[in-house]
Amino acid sequence: MRKAPLVAAINDLSGFGHCSLAVAMPVLSVMGLQCCPLPTAILSNHTGYDSCYFEDLTAAMPQYFREWQKLSLEFAGVYTGFLGSAEQVDIVVDIIAKLRQSEPQPLIFVDPVLGDNGKPYATCTPELCNAMRKLAERADVITPNITEACLLLGRDYPGERIDEAAALKLVKELAALGGKRVVLTGIRAKRDTVANLGFDAAQNHFYWVEEPMVEPAFAGAGDVFASVLCGALLSGRDMQAALEQAAFFVYLAAKNTAETGGSAQDGLNFEPYLKMI
Ligand code: PXL
């Protein structure tokens, strides 16, 4: 039997709240990929709660990666998410440069986790934004929401209710940063739907995928979307099919979570749907 392709998942491990590695690991595994976590920090729960235990792992990251180099691991993809400081981003940029030296080159998939609903996360400093822009420039795929797109572009946040024309403008500007494929997530162009706009700069091709909006906006929904999209692209799906798969999975999980009284803070109860990916 063929060996599962390896994905280096560089993200934090939050013990509760359905985000980051706690999402990436099950999703990528069920999609037939071997998720190799490189934790950037450990948290008892994500930062959207009033309190959390947080332990930064910046100092461990270079040594941790050096051990992987000794094993001559061949990664099909690198998937980055929550990074807590500019220093961490610089370490990730360095890791990517090293991985790009081997053939075949891994897909560099960057979810530039910086904020949501117009608000930067507490950890998001101007230095982190600048560093994240540098990482986005080196990516094959980036998946910002509207808040993150504006932070990367240094623009004022226009709200989630932007129309298609404004979304097109944003993805083109984001692609001009250097990312080859851009997916702008969480677009509320219509009242009852949430859309994602993909743009392939090399092919000058746009993709628009829309699902019914399920209230409330659940924490970590972006992490679930990005994990499925990353897994689908690494499984050989084209951008349209990958976007549809990711958006539909998030929709099903959100519907289930809302119907079973889940809280926005605790994130998406996606587990019942893993086996249908
Ligand atoms: O879902 C994004 C995310 C990831 N990791 C941590 C977070 C958040 C959002 O709040 O706090 C630690």
Side-chain angles (χ1 to χ4, degrees), residues 11-14 17-21 41 43 45-49 52 54 81-83 111 113-116 121-123 148 218-224:
N11 210 332
D12 75 85
L13 179 62
S14 287
H18 281 124
C19 69
S20 27
L21 286 175
L43 294 89
N45 46 271
H46 64 65
T47 60
Y49 296 88
C52 68
F54 176 91
F82 181 88
L83 300 168
D111 185 14
V113 176
L114 293 169
D116 206 2
Y121 293 133
T123 48
E148 291 157 349
F218 292 97
D223 299 10
V224 178

